[in-house]
Amino acid sequence: QVQLVESGGGLVQAGGSLRLSCAASGRTLSAMAWFRQAPGKEREFVAAINWNGGSTSYADFVKGRFLISRDNAKSTVYLQMDSLKPEDTAVYYCATSRIPYTSARANTQAEYSNWGPGTQVTVSS
């Protein structure tokens, strides 16, 4: 199984930026995605990228503010987050798709099988 470890979370003021990283234990041909979960809320899709970085998708509430990318040589996916809002506060998780070559359109938890432990992002007003 692929092991994932997120990093880069922290405390930032509204309007600020953070870059999250997710390092995989080995090479993967899977799509990779970011999800987030705030206290008392369901885990929700944030962004996804296909196996070679050629396609991406985003949730409407982050489109234009967040950018997902990947470096397969480093087996790492990134999430650049700009113009952060207090409502972005959540634990952010990365995941790999169940099936190789899954499209970046995959935006449900059921389409992903391996999950990292998460990294906390807190945005103050």
Side-chain angles (χ1 to χ4, degrees):
Q1 293 182 345
V2 175
Q3 295 182 345
L4 304 172
V5 180
E6 303 95 337
S7 62
L11 175 64
V12 65
Q13 292 184 330
S17 299
L18 286 173
R19 189 181 75 153
L20 306 183
S21 298
C22 177
S25 61
R27 296 176 182 176
T28 178
L29 299 178
S30 301
M32 298 185 71
W34 290 94
F35 290 76
R36 71 186 188 186
Q37 187 168 21
K41 298 182 66 177
E42 297 292 323
R43 188 170 298 186
E44 62 184 355
F45 171 78
V46 176
I49 188 166
N50 79 332
W51 75 279
N52 66 359
S55 298
T56 59
S57 66
Y58 298 90
D60 288 342
F61 53 81
V62 302
K63 194 172 297 182
R65 299 190 297 124
F66 292 7
L67 179 67
I68 188 171
S69 61
R70 70 190 293 168
D71 183 343
N72 283 356
K74 298 181 179 179
S75 298
T76 300
V77 64
Y78 305 94
L79 185 67
Q80 178 66 45
M81 305 185 294
D82 297 326
S83 301
L84 283 163
K85 305 174 181 179
E87 51 263 45
D88 294 320
T89 295
V91 177
Y92 284 70
Y93 301 90
C94 68
T96 59
S97 62
R98 294 182 180 274
I99 306 298
Y101 306 109
T102 291
S103 170
R105 296 187 300 274
N107 61 2
T108 66
Q109 295 182 59
E111 293 171 290
Y112 295 86
S113 59
N114 293 302
W115 298 81
T119 185
Q120 176 71 47
V121 171
T122 303
V123 184
S124 62
S125 60

